[in-house]
Amino acid sequence: MSEVINEGLIAAAKAAAKAAAGSAPLLVAERITRRFGGLVANQDVCVSLERGKVHVLLGPNGAGKSTCINMLSGDLPPSEGRIHFMGRDITALSAAQRSQVGIGRSYQRTNIFPQFSVLENVRLAAQSRRQQAWRIFSRAMQQQWALDKARACIDEAGLGSKVDWIAGVLSHGEQRQLEIAMVLATDAQVLLLDEPLAGMGSDESARMVEVLKRLKPTRAILLVEHDMDAVFAVADTITVMVNGQVLESGPPEQIKASVAVQQAYLGQEDSFHV
Amino acid sequence: MNSTASTTLKLLGLLLLACVPLSGESFYVELAAKTLVLAIFAMSLDLLVGFTGLVSFGHAAYFGVAAYAVALLSPKYEAASLWYVLPASVGLSALAALLVGFFVLRTKGIYFIMVTLAFAQLAFFVFHDTPLGGGSDGIYLNVKPTAEIAGWLPFDLDNPSHLYYFILAALVGVYAFLARILQSPFGRVLVGIKSNEHRMQSMGYLTFRYKLAAFALAGGLGGVAGFLYAVVFGFVTPELLSWHQSGNVLLMVILGGMGSLPGAIAGAFVFTGMQELFASWTKHWQLVMGGVIVAAVLFLPGGLAAVPDRIKRSLQGGGSNE
């Protein structure tokens, strides 16, 4: 049964790619599987990300969303399956190498440099694009291009007023924005965002949704999110995962109307925050 | 502390150090020279411990490799050229660190501490138990290297005050070198690795390479200290590579305040000073020393480097209360 669905998904992904001439999917995961010992955390998952589109990964806790994003970002090698970026097989690349080709991610639990200023957090991200490690006598703060880039990305993520703050004292929501700025500063074409709205107040959430909308036209975004208002505000495609497998994938209207999705969710109380 | 005050303090310290040979007391000049050497050693370790977050418990290996290299590369009854033995011994230290780093940097945390120690013990026994090192008695460096260039002698290492100023210049040089490196993009990456290595990787940094470069660099600078130590004392023993030595330099860094170059220098001075002082009081000086270090770690978590700010804050705090 799942075989058929997945074959269908691959075909659908390819068809979609052909239909949108010139906008072939940037990142394609073909039937990636991850096993931890006897546990299958992800089985035959297919995901396709296109520029200008937000692809949301939904599912109850433990559905395997984070495992999936970890495989896409290179933090976790898949047990089976291939991952392609702009037509190139990147399955064997490490997280650092994937960052270099243009895949950036943010983490579910805030992952920044708390002792550094906001500017230095993002400047380091920018610097990663032109690593000239042998130039040990140049001054980092005189690399104007990296500073300019960092400032631009901080503005883009809506943190312009906090440039000189120490990252560790920012509010939770601002730290999530900082993470976005860091991902942007690496010139990422594909953004893998693991619950960027988690733990945010409604104001902060609304601001972040604005940021996502602003980023959307020029990048391919994969979003793992529980906040349904936000999901339906930005999603172009939704993939619902249950027990490590793709239950259904399609446009928001289809997912909203899907009986299978409703059953999967409504059958489990308290796993879905609407 | 603002930057002018900090610069003034540093220059004052340097001036003070420059005055030591004027005392004419050869015991104190030699003690100060030894302490300066240890200060260089502590700064080299601080690059790893304080700035890159790599707690190496085997840093004495690179100190010892360079010290032995001077002794082994120098002819028995003639002076070797400084301009040959200095780069050669420092280069060998850096090379040894590069090789060891290639293996140990695959481990993290407590394993890294243990594996660096294991490699240092390995180096210890190479010099202790093979014909190369002359056993537990070590090797004499009968004649100090000469700085002669084509018949011209800019300074004479046999002259205690020339030697002292040479070491002081090396200290300033290593300090300036490290301070500059830490401001470079390379240095920023090292500090980033210390703060959050995983994040550095996800931003596209191949952190292993940076850590390896830092490890080799620290090994080479530790080698500068080892070279100077051999020249000051005129002999080398396997004790230079012992884990006590690795532990002592780690204590200097911790005492001084990890991640501060002036702190590392201060740590070396306070550590050596306490050693001398307590040893003059009692045979069991290590007991007293241990107590002081425990107290320092408990009551002065930022080390000596945090003292000026603490004083300033307590002064300001007192002022505002009144």
Side-chain angles (χ1 to χ4, degrees):
Chain A
M1 177 62 192
S2 68
E3 288 285 309
V4 178
I5 289 176
N6 282 306
E7 295 294 345
L9 283 175
I10 293 176
K14 285 182 178 163
K18 273 183 191 161
S23 71
L26 283 175
L27 188 70
V28 181
E30 288 175 4
R31 308 185 57 169
I32 48 175
T33 295
R34 175 67 202 199
R35 281 184 283 270
F36 296 102
L39 176 81
V40 185
N42 263 208
Q43 189 176 5
D44 296 323
V45 173
C46 297
V47 176
S48 169
L49 305 180
E50 290 170 48
R51 197 185 296 278
K53 297 277 166 65
V54 175
H55 190 140
V56 176
L57 213 50
L58 276 185
N61 292 325
K65 305 181 300 287
S66 285
T67 302
C68 179
I69 216 168
N70 280 337
M71 286 195 283
L72 296 179
S73 70
D75 283 290
L76 205 59
S79 309
E80 280 167 35
R82 312 305 300 175
I83 300 167
H84 294 272
F85 178 71
M86 296 171 94
R88 172 182 165 201
D89 189 332
I90 59 159
T91 318
L93 299 192
S94 69
Q97 289 166 322
R98 286 189 206 189
S99 165
Q100 287 293 343
V101 299
I103 301 171
R105 78 166 289 183
S106 73
Y107 288 83
Q108 186 176 2
R109 296 176 62 183
T110 304
N111 196 348
I112 55 172
F113 303 96
Q115 311 92 324
F116 298 175
S117 70
V118 167
L119 181 64
E120 180 63 6
N121 267 273
V122 187
R123 197 201 60 77
L124 261 179
Q127 183 191 311
S128 73
R129 295 307 105 177
R130 274 191 235 167
Q131 295 184 44
Q132 300 167 312
W134 62 94
R135 292 184 54 195
I136 54 175
F137 291 119
S138 60
R139 287 181 197 268
M141 295 315 278
Q142 286 174 359
Q143 285 189 328
Q144 202 53 47
W145 65 269
L147 288 169
D148 292 344
K149 175 73 155 290
R151 288 212 167 84
C153 294
I154 291 168
D155 281 341
E156 201 171 359
L159 262 185
S161 59
K162 301 281 167 85
V163 170
D164 294 319
W165 285 48
I166 297 298
V169 306
L170 295 179
S171 75
H172 174 78
E174 288 165 339
Q175 292 187 351
R176 309 297 318 210
Q177 284 170 273
L178 172 58
E179 281 221 51
I180 303 284
M182 290 162 74
V183 176
L184 296 179
T186 63
D187 291 330
Q189 301 299 300
V190 173
L191 308 182
L192 308 172
L193 308 178
D194 199 351
E195 300 198 26
L197 305 181
M200 279 192 175
S202 56
D203 284 0
E204 289 178 325
S205 283
R207 222 169 34 216
M208 185 64 97
V209 167
E210 286 313 305
V211 171
L212 291 177
K213 281 181 178 164
R214 220 167 41 235
L215 297 178
K216 181 170 152 177
T218 49
R219 277 114 175 160
I221 300 177
L222 178 76
L223 186 66
V224 172
E225 196 42 69
H226 285 299
D227 183 331
M228 283 304 127
D229 293 337
V231 165
F232 286 105
V234 296
D236 296 290
T237 311
I238 296 177
T239 293
V240 181
M241 287 182 73
V242 174
N243 294 328
Q245 291 178 312
V246 174
L247 181 70
E248 190 155 351
S249 185
E253 306 75 46
Q254 180 191 331
I255 299 299
K256 255 184 193 167
S258 163
V259 179
V261 171
Q262 279 170 9
Q263 276 176 349
Y265 271 111
L266 299 177
Q268 304 173 19
E269 48 188 347
D270 197 37
S271 56
F272 206 29
H273 320 287
V274 180
Chain B
M1 197 166 43
N2 63 39
S3 65
T4 6
S6 135
T7 313
T8 318
L9 210 60
K10 283 174 200 162
L11 287 177
L12 268 176
L14 184 60
L15 195 68
L16 205 67
L17 288 173
C19 290
V20 172
L22 304 179
S23 73
E25 298 269 356
S26 64
F27 171 78
Y28 287 109
V29 176
E30 186 168 293
L31 183 63
K34 175 189 154 188
T35 313
L36 289 178
V37 169
L38 291 174
I40 295 174
F41 190 30
M43 282 195 290
S44 75
L45 180 63
D46 206 13
L47 176 66
L48 295 181
V49 177
F51 294 102
T52 318
L54 296 167
V55 181
S56 168
F57 195 25
H59 204 50
Y62 315 104
F63 185 81
V65 163
Y68 267 90
V70 200
L72 291 169
L73 292 173
S74 298
K76 199 149 189 188
Y77 301 112
E78 289 171 56
S81 167
L82 175 69
W83 313 115
Y84 157 61
V85 284
L86 176 59
S89 51
V90 169
L92 283 170
S93 280
L95 188 66
L98 189 71
L99 288 175
V100 171
F102 187 76
F103 297 104
V104 299
L105 289 168
R106 288 158 205 281
T107 64
K108 281 193 182 10
I110 188 80
Y111 301 100
F112 180 79
I113 297 176
M114 290 296 117
V115 172
T116 48
L117 172 63
F119 270 98
Q121 288 300 94
L122 194 89
F124 174 84
F125 285 111
V126 165
F127 290 110
H128 189 274
D129 291 344
T130 65
L132 180 73
S136 58
D137 291 340
I139 310 172
Y140 277 93
L141 177 67
N142 294 313
V143 192
K144 294 191 200 313
T146 171
E148 190 183 295
I149 311 164
W152 174 59
L153 192 66
F155 52 89
D156 181 5
L157 295 182
D158 275 322
N159 177 326
S161 60
H162 282 202
L163 180 58
Y164 181 87
Y165 286 117
F166 180 69
I167 294 169
L168 187 58
L171 177 95
V172 173
V174 169
Y175 180 95
F177 178 73
L178 284 174
R180 188 72 200 244
I181 279 182
L182 288 165
Q183 291 193 344
S184 74
F186 172 76
R188 294 301 176 115
V189 172
L190 298 187
V191 179
I193 289 172
K194 185 194 176 195
S195 173
N196 191 344
E197 180 172 5
H198 176 231
R199 192 65 171 116
M200 291 302 282
Q201 284 169 341
S202 73
M203 294 194 316
Y205 289 101
L206 300 170
T207 55
F208 178 80
R209 295 181 189 181
Y210 283 89
K211 289 193 291 183
L212 187 57
F215 201 80
L217 207 57
L221 295 174
V224 172
F227 169 88
L228 294 170
Y229 191 93
V231 171
V232 171
F233 289 97
F235 65 89
V236 294
T237 69
E239 285 304 306
L240 299 182
L241 297 89
S242 72
W243 65 271
H244 306 96
Q245 184 83 349
S246 295
N248 284 349
V249 68
L250 199 53
L251 286 176
M252 291 173 203
V253 170
I254 293 168
L255 204 58
M258 291 176 279
S260 158
L261 296 176
I265 299 173
F269 271 89
V270 169
F271 188 89
T272 324
M274 286 198 298
Q275 220 170 18
E276 292 293 324
L277 184 67
F278 299 153
S280 70
W281 291 350
T282 162
K283 198 166 64 175
H284 306 291
W285 62 271
Q286 284 175 316
L287 210 61
V288 187
M289 187 78 151
V292 170
I293 288 183
V294 169
V297 170
L298 284 177
F299 299 114
L300 203 60
L304 297 166
V307 168
D309 269 339
R310 280 199 163 199
I311 293 173
K312 190 182 164 199
R313 214 171 301 154
S314 66
L315 286 178
Q316 282 175 342
S320 66
N321 284 341
E322 282 164 339

